[in-house]
Amino acid sequence: MSAAAWARDRRTLAGLVVAAAGLAVAHLQNRPLVESRVRADIFEDPLGHTPPLVSLTTVALGGFRGLIADMLWVRSARLQEEGKYFELVQLADWITKLEPRHAAVWRYHAWNLAYNVSVFFSDPADRWRWVENGIQLLRDEGLRYNPEDAPMYFELAFIFQHKLGEKLDEAYPYYRNRLADEMTRLGLGFAMDFDRLAGDADARDALRTRLRLDVGRMREIDARYGPLDWRTPWPQAIYWAHQGLPLADSFHERALNRIINQCLMRMVQEGTAVRRDDGTWTYEPNLALAPVLVRRMQEVAARYPDEMPFLHAKVGNLEEVIALTGVWGDWATARMAHDALREAMGITEEEPPEVFAALALMARVDDPSSARVVTLVLGALVQAEQWRARAQFVRAMRWEAAAQAWYEAFDARLVSESARRRLSAPPLDELRARARHHVREGQASGFPFRTDVDLLELMAVFAEAGPPPSPAP
Amino acid sequence: MRAVAAIARVSLQGALRSRLVVAMLGLLLLTVVVLPATIRGDGTLAGYTQVQIRYGLGAAGMILTVMTLWAAAAAVSLDVETRRVQTVVTKPVGPFTLWLGKWLGLCVMNAVLLAACGAVVFAMFLWKTREGPWDPDEARDFREHVRVARIPVSPDLAHLDRRIAEEEEAIRRDPEAPVDVRDARAVREVARQRAVARELFVAPDSEKSWRFEPPRRIRTDRPLVLRFRLAAARMSMEPVEGAFRVQAGPQTTDLIPVAAPPNRTTTLTLPPLSLAPGQPVTVTFVNRDQPAVFSAGEGLRLGVYETSFAVNYGRALLMMYVRLVFIAALGVTAGALFSFPVAAFVTGCLVFFVAMTAFVRTTPDAAHSHGGPPPEASPWEAFANRVAGAIHPVFVPLTDPDYLEMVSTGESVTWGLALRSLGFKIGVYGGLLALGATAVLRRRELGEARA
């Protein structure tokens, strides 16, 4: 062998030795690395349960996918800053596909689309598209790759509860209308017959494909927290929050429970969807949920006995239930809530719930918030109808006048155009017609009517006695 | 000429023999076919178009750039390294012919591949944006405002310089000036921003006019459009109400009422006007609402129809092609100077520098624009800024506007723009690179035996 050839072979040999040594070191490092990934809960199984495209990107791009995701992320931030939103959904889609097991990435992008980007659009239809994109990103894809991520369930539930359920976004009526339309198309409604739904394969599949709702779980949720009106946003918030509960750490368990509580309260106030003649929807109280809320408050407070936020929520919600059920004449639930409240506050004296209901109502008519104004006014109008039906015309007129006064007091507070668009209650005549409907339709919302209690009279007595004392014990 | 053609053919064959180029070809095929299938857009036709064209062609362009860079750097350097070049230089073939042949081979490769990619992306675009599945109103808007090529004309702000000078004077006199008055550049920038803002501000119950000078050649059978964007201080669904009036010579339109959502670009098709060549157009905004300010930059533009979307798309492909053949020229020249890996690295770095100098130059300005005291630059940042500032003018002619965004938003990639790019990248810089490479190849000993 010539000297040159030997020198060449020696170099090759040396290279092979170095490569083999490198391989050995990598092999030794592999096991601790895998263990530390498992410990940190970032172990990935890119080929399991993922579509080919995601498997391809995660495996084929290897470490470079992080780099590409960063580049796309920078571009996404720049476009958003420049007000160019067309690409954001696409970029969010690609970024999340590049990091499918990084749950925070899904949560961030869904939030960004539903909250930060949507508000830049003035057309409610445009806004809804962005909110819907945010929901779909989490529900249809994020949870598919991260089915055990409780914060993701929280974010999804929160979008339903807050973005659609609260009245903070000017376009919320449009969101609710679209949701109610879609739910109606899918055959969902109030107090559903889940046996029939479970037997209808097409409806079941449509729910599964379009909204990722499982009929069995819906039945479970409805039995536990219902009867729910699935055309409203809150049942879906509860559905997703409930899915997250078994997976949650202590912090998220509380957060998810809080969402369920708040949804129940909101549904007591406006949890029934009613379609108007023009195809839009209006919302009325779902008082059938008031006893559920009372029991729920007791359960949750018992679960977190030393935590003041839950105790405060319990007291506040029970007071609200007493006032609202009182004005509608549902004295059985008012008594139940009053008993729970006395127990929570350690009050042993026997007190009539009617007195407390009158006091709670006085405090609330002074502050008829947008969430409760329909319940209060509609309740007063139902009272007027009930008294009128019993030929008690003076009482009926007093209730009618009270309804009008509460309605106008609330309306007078809506000074800006924006607040008026967002928070206005339905026209008073529409509420009058709904009250007549409630009374005429038998006991649909009516409860055994007590002629021995007139809350307005009690309120008048307290008003004469001076400023209303705080209803809270 | 036969020699050039023969070398070009060999250059093309050499490129296709490279494993990386073949791998990139596979990736290119995958990208062009698979990527559009992953595109979901934002649910609108306009959004889908932007994403499909930008990312479909953008990704293809990126892969072609890597391919070209690699093949070009290898074209001469590997021939020298393997001594294949001796079979050429021993014939009556000059260094320029060698360079030209190598470069033309790569030009042919890029032309074929880019044309194929462009055709696939365009065909997919036509298929996806066909009439059937979309809302008819949206499809009509798309046809009128996106699937066209319009030249945007900004208002004539010739008097702005005087206003800027006045603002500069005011800032210098202001004891509470928002910038360090000794920093002339910062003062000028703030003055410019203020002057532009004043120019684009319309008080409630008042009106303001702007003069536009459309291009001399204009299609009179297509209406003008007005694209405007009103800035608003708060996120609201409440539109800003007002009206536009357009005047061209003796013709004046009626007031055209608008209710424009804030912070969004609104496109308004103007009533037909018969414009004489070179006739200016005056647009007046009558504000009947809250204080309104048109966003700086793209806040108020007149759109003049120029040509069809397909022609515009073709010009965008031409711009992309010119960029690729410039990279080919750069790589072939680098290959004439250095060995293959060094040539590939140098070409890559230069391409990166061209892309990054504008970013490095504008970053300190962006930091300034957020207000507050100017950030203290580290010695390294100061050095990098100085270097970027010094070489920026050299690279400016090589930077292009975002032609993919332009074509996907219905903005014209004009022939002027395409020819300017062609002239600078191929005529000037390509010529200089060819001369440099020729000079080097003439002096370089290409026939030396390997050590």
Side-chain angles (χ1 to χ4, degrees):
Chain A
M1 186 184 281
S2 71
W6 168 238
R8 196 172 57 240
D9 289 350
R10 214 170 41 188
R11 277 202 299 275
T12 310
L13 198 65
L16 284 173
V17 169
V18 170
L23 199 64
V25 172
H27 174 72
L28 291 173
Q29 288 294 315
N30 187 47
R31 185 176 290 274
L33 273 173
V34 169
E35 283 170 2
S36 61
R37 289 173 77 185
V38 171
R39 271 199 307 278
D41 198 23
I42 52 172
F43 189 80
E44 292 185 20
D45 173 19
L47 293 175
H49 314 297
T50 54
L53 184 69
V54 176
S55 300
L56 182 78
T57 50
T58 47
V59 176
L61 294 174
F64 285 106
R65 66 197 163 100
L67 203 61
I68 296 172
D70 281 352
M71 284 165 59
L72 294 178
W73 202 307
V74 168
R75 179 170 175 74
S76 157
R78 188 166 63 80
L79 289 176
Q80 191 165 337
E81 211 166 85
E82 291 171 2
K84 297 175 178 171
Y85 306 111
F86 284 119
E87 288 175 35
L88 291 185
V89 175
Q90 187 62 62
L91 289 172
D93 187 46
W94 282 335
I95 291 167
T96 47
K97 293 279 168 53
L98 285 166
E99 306 278 2
R101 300 293 297 271
H102 200 325
V105 175
W106 293 95
R107 297 199 301 267
Y108 167 80
H109 282 287
W111 170 270
N112 192 38
L113 298 181
Y115 277 83
N116 297 341
V117 179
S118 66
V119 293
F120 277 98
F121 291 80
S122 53
D123 181 359
D126 285 336
R127 284 196 180 194
W128 171 240
R129 206 174 55 244
W130 289 93
V131 174
E132 208 177 21
N133 275 322
I135 291 173
Q136 286 169 352
L137 197 67
L138 280 182
R139 183 189 64 194
D140 301 356
E141 302 193 57
L143 285 174
R144 181 180 179 186
Y145 301 114
N146 304 275
E148 299 190 350
D149 188 69
M152 204 178 278
Y153 288 98
F154 170 80
E155 292 293 346
L156 181 55
F158 188 78
I159 294 177
F160 277 107
Q161 183 226 342
H162 185 260
K163 192 73 180 171
L164 277 71
E166 294 297 329
K167 299 178 177 176
L168 299 166
D169 186 324
E170 284 181 57
Y172 86 90
Y174 184 86
Y175 306 158
R176 288 192 190 176
N177 282 343
R178 290 295 302 269
L179 184 74
D181 286 342
E182 180 165 23
M183 291 303 193
T184 309
R185 267 197 305 278
L186 291 170
L188 298 185
F190 180 58
M192 303 237 343
D193 179 356
F194 284 97
D195 290 334
R196 189 193 56 75
L197 195 61
D200 183 344
D202 288 346
R204 216 174 46 220
D205 290 348
L207 282 172
R208 159 77 61 196
T209 343
R210 297 266 314 128
L211 304 171
R212 312 279 160 182
L213 293 177
D214 175 77
V215 173
R217 285 187 186 142
M218 287 170 75
R219 185 209 305 263
E220 185 193 331
I221 300 283
D222 204 274
R224 182 164 181 174
Y225 302 106
L228 304 173
D229 186 338
W230 288 84
R231 296 165 299 189
T232 63
W234 302 284
Q236 287 198 59
I238 292 182
Y239 180 94
W240 295 110
H242 192 75
Q243 303 304 315
L245 271 177
L247 310 163
D249 59 16
S250 137
F251 174 81
H252 283 100
E253 183 194 276
R254 284 160 174 73
L256 290 163
N257 272 317
R258 213 171 289 126
I259 281 190
I260 294 174
N261 296 349
Q262 288 166 356
C263 284
L264 281 172
M265 184 68 250
R266 192 59 81 234
M267 282 192 289
V268 168
Q269 293 165 327
E270 46 181 345
T272 311
V274 178
R275 195 199 273 274
R276 294 189 177 110
D277 292 339
D278 65 358
T280 60
W281 296 82
T282 184
Y283 295 85
E284 290 183 356
N286 179 358
L287 290 181
L289 293 185
V292 182
L293 177 64
V294 174
R295 284 194 294 274
R296 167 82 185 167
M297 287 293 104
Q298 288 172 305
E299 277 168 27
V300 174
R303 187 176 174 86
Y304 308 109
D306 302 323
E307 298 186 26
M308 290 310 282
F310 282 100
L311 182 63
H312 283 152
K314 178 181 175 180
V315 169
N317 285 347
L318 291 175
E319 284 176 14
E320 184 82 3
V321 166
I322 296 167
L324 299 185
T325 51
V327 78
W328 276 74
D330 177 6
W331 288 109
T333 307
R335 175 171 290 282
M336 180 183 171
H338 188 236
D339 288 346
L341 186 63
R342 284 171 49 237
E343 185 194 331
M345 305 310 295
I347 300 169
T348 50
E349 295 83 17
E350 188 65 34
E351 276 184 356
E354 297 80 7
V355 171
F356 189 86
L359 291 171
L361 196 54
M362 283 176 81
R364 274 155 185 76
V365 296
D366 279 352
D367 175 24
S369 73
S370 64
R372 66 167 75 99
V373 67
V374 170
T375 318
L376 290 178
V377 173
L378 200 50
L381 292 170
V382 166
Q383 287 274 352
E385 290 298 321
Q386 296 277 27
W387 288 115
R388 192 171 290 122
R390 286 158 182 79
Q392 297 268 352
F393 297 112
V394 176
R395 286 182 195 274
M397 279 171 59
R398 276 213 300 265
W399 275 103
E400 173 81 32
Q404 182 149 358
W406 299 346
Y407 185 91
E408 284 169 0
F410 172 73
D411 200 56
R413 290 179 171 206
L414 306 177
V415 284
S416 73
E417 269 304 308
S418 163
R420 194 158 279 283
R421 266 200 310 272
R422 200 158 42 87
L423 304 174
S424 278
L428 197 53
D429 283 342
E430 183 182 321
L431 294 178
R432 284 194 183 100
R434 290 298 307 163
R436 281 194 293 276
H437 169 85
H438 279 288
V439 176
R440 198 173 53 241
E441 290 293 307
Q443 303 307 314
S445 62
F447 307 94
F449 190 73
R450 283 176 59 183
T451 49
D452 60 326
V453 183
D454 185 343
L455 275 182
L456 270 189
E457 276 183 5
L458 275 173
M459 287 165 73
V461 170
F462 291 135
E464 273 173 25
S470 166
Chain B
M1 202 61 216
R2 281 178 56 197
V4 172
I7 295 170
R9 197 168 54 245
V10 172
S11 164
L12 187 59
Q13 286 166 351
L16 296 177
R17 269 200 300 272
S18 159
R19 268 174 292 185
L20 183 104
V21 171
V22 172
M24 283 291 174
L25 269 175
L27 194 59
L28 188 65
L29 187 71
L30 200 71
T31 303
V32 170
V33 177
V34 173
L35 192 71
T38 70
I39 290 173
R40 53 184 274 188
D42 67 340
T44 64
L45 255 173
Y48 177 83
T49 303
Q50 279 201 19
V51 174
Q52 204 245 0
I53 289 184
R54 170 182 284 284
Y55 288 96
L57 277 186
M62 209 160 74
I63 293 167
L64 283 172
T65 300
V66 175
M67 265 174 77
T68 306
L69 194 151
W70 192 264
V76 174
S77 61
L78 279 188
D79 273 9
V80 172
E81 208 172 305
T82 58
R83 283 174 285 182
R84 274 201 304 269
V85 76
Q86 290 171 15
T87 61
V88 179
V89 293
T90 48
K91 293 186 171 63
V93 170
F96 178 70
T97 308
L98 176 66
W99 186 93
L100 191 64
K102 292 287 182 190
W103 179 67
L104 282 178
L106 296 169
C107 291
V108 171
M109 179 185 83
N110 274 309
V112 172
L113 292 176
L114 188 61
C117 291
V120 172
V121 171
F122 193 66
M124 287 189 170
F125 161 76
L126 289 180
W127 169 251
K128 282 282 195 176
T129 59
R130 69 191 184 284
E131 299 255 324
W134 301 93
D135 172 62
D137 288 342
E138 191 184 355
R140 195 196 56 240
D141 278 355
F142 176 71
R143 263 197 320 276
E144 286 179 8
H145 300 313
V146 180
R147 212 172 145 173
V148 288
R150 281 202 172 88
I151 298 175
V153 183
S154 297
D156 176 17
L157 298 177
H159 56 285
L160 202 63
D161 284 344
R162 184 175 47 81
R163 280 210 162 193
I164 293 173
E166 287 167 9
E167 290 290 350
E168 277 188 78
E169 201 47 47
I171 292 169
R172 289 207 177 86
R173 281 199 309 268
D174 183 359
E176 293 176 3
V179 289
D180 182 354
V181 292
R182 290 165 300 180
D183 184 347
R185 193 170 141 207
V187 170
R188 176 92 183 157
E189 179 54 27
V190 173
R192 195 191 63 78
Q193 286 173 8
R194 284 187 183 179
V196 169
R198 283 189 210 285
E199 184 65 29
L200 297 173
F201 174 76
V202 190
D205 299 320
S206 69
E207 59 180 61
K208 188 170 268 184
S209 298
W210 297 270
R211 189 167 176 271
F212 293 83
E213 291 190 359
R216 292 190 68 79
R217 284 178 57 195
I218 180 170
R219 287 269 297 268
T220 49
D221 57 331
R222 296 291 190 123
L224 299 174
V225 298
L226 193 64
R227 277 190 179 169
F228 62 97
R229 183 184 165 105
L230 288 160
R234 62 191 172 86
M235 300 295 120
S236 170
M237 286 167 56
E238 207 170 327
V240 178
E241 292 190 7
F244 281 104
R245 187 173 52 235
V246 184
Q247 187 189 358
Q251 310 163 79
T252 306
T253 66
D254 293 335
L255 278 175
I256 310 159
V258 288
N263 299 317
R264 297 279 301 150
T265 300
T266 303
T267 306
L268 186 68
T269 304
L270 300 178
L273 292 165
S274 54
L275 290 181
Q279 187 174 37
V281 174
T282 304
V283 173
T284 303
F285 180 66
V286 183
N287 186 6
R288 294 169 173 157
D289 205 334
Q290 52 182 298
V293 58
F294 290 91
S295 304
E298 297 172 4
L300 188 62
R301 284 181 168 191
L302 200 62
V304 181
Y305 181 89
E306 194 228 350
T307 186
S308 68
F309 181 83
V311 172
N312 206 33
Y313 182 81
R315 288 195 296 227
L317 283 182
L318 176 64
M319 297 273 290
M320 194 182 247
Y321 179 67
V322 167
R323 188 172 145 271
L324 288 169
V325 296
F326 167 72
I327 291 169
L330 196 64
V332 175
T333 305
L337 283 164
F338 308 110
S339 65
F340 170 60
V342 179
F345 180 74
V346 167
T347 314
C349 284
L350 284 171
V351 171
F352 182 72
F353 269 132
V354 172
M356 292 304 289
T357 45
F359 175 73
V360 173
R361 287 273 299 153
T362 52
T363 303
D365 294 340
H368 263 295
S369 71
H370 288 292
E376 191 71 35
S378 70
W380 162 245
E381 283 170 338
F383 172 73
N385 283 336
R386 268 201 299 278
V387 171
I391 61 177
H392 185 57
V394 180
F395 289 154
V396 165
L398 298 173
T399 53
D400 291 320
D402 193 343
Y403 47 83
L404 290 183
E405 179 173 318
M406 289 163 76
V407 77
S408 64
T409 53
E411 188 176 329
S412 184
V413 180
T414 57
W415 281 119
L417 203 60
L419 292 176
R420 175 185 165 276
S421 178
L422 190 82
F424 271 111
K425 291 203 183 88
I426 299 181
V428 179
Y429 282 76
L432 287 174
L433 287 168
L435 287 175
T438 306
V440 169
L441 286 173
R442 207 184 293 283
R443 281 163 183 73
R444 188 168 172 189
E445 180 50 73
L446 298 173
E448 76 183 71
R450 185 186 283 182

